[in-house]
Amino acid sequence: NFVDIFESSGGGCLLLVCSNDHSIKILETDGKCVCTYTQPWCVNCAAVSPDGSLLAVGGDDREVHLLDPRSKGVVAKLAGHYDFTFSMSFHPTLPMLATGNQDETCRIWDLRHTHTSTH
């Protein structure tokens, strides 16, 4: 469903792959799987924060989940959309995440205050 390429903390390139099989996979460019995350719903999109400290996951759920990439634990759930999320992007320098949803809205989240979106 979704693929992105990002720079790892070691400076190499990694692929972020999301799927209807409920998974998010981090792959090396040769296809070797580095890590797999599983959700209870189909995953439509995901994004890694610029500093690598967060993995945002959206899919067939009304909430966007922020995960700790190392522990795989949920750090926060962003609630406010009324349907499924299909796009997202972290700001390159500010602690902000934009999400696009099937409910025909785009929300901007200040990740220092995750209880509600700013727009």
Side-chain angles (χ1 to χ4, degrees):
N1 284 355
F2 178 84
V3 66
D4 194 14
I5 190 166
F6 66 98
E7 186 175 349
S8 71
S9 59
C13 288
L14 294 173
L15 299 171
L16 175 67
V17 180
C18 303
S19 177
N20 279 339
D21 70 359
H22 302 213
S23 74
I24 306 108
K25 292 181 177 68
I26 307 293
L27 307 172
E28 293 179 351
T29 54
D30 65 1
K32 179 183 174 189
C33 186
V34 174
C35 188
T36 300
Y37 303 86
T38 304
Q39 298 297 315
W41 28 261
C42 296
V43 179
N44 299 324
C45 59
V48 177
S49 64
D51 66 0
S53 66
L54 291 173
L55 173 63
V57 181
D60 291 3
D61 184 53
R62 291 183 179 180
E63 297 175 319
V64 173
H65 293 207
L66 297 179
L67 305 180
D68 177 325
R70 290 177 183 81
S71 72
K72 297 184 180 181
V74 176
V75 175
K77 293 181 181 181
L78 308 179
H81 282 299
Y82 299 104
D83 211 333
F84 302 157
T85 300
F86 283 91
S87 63
M88 61 180 54
S89 180
F90 281 97
H91 189 281
T93 58
L94 298 175
M96 300 180 85
L97 177 72
T99 56
N101 192 275
Q102 192 167 287
D103 65 9
E104 300 181 5
T105 66
C106 179
R107 292 185 180 266
I108 299 172
W109 307 89
D110 181 338
L111 299 178
R112 297 168 297 185
H113 310 284
T114 57
H115 57 279
T116 187
S117 63
T118 61
H119 292 88

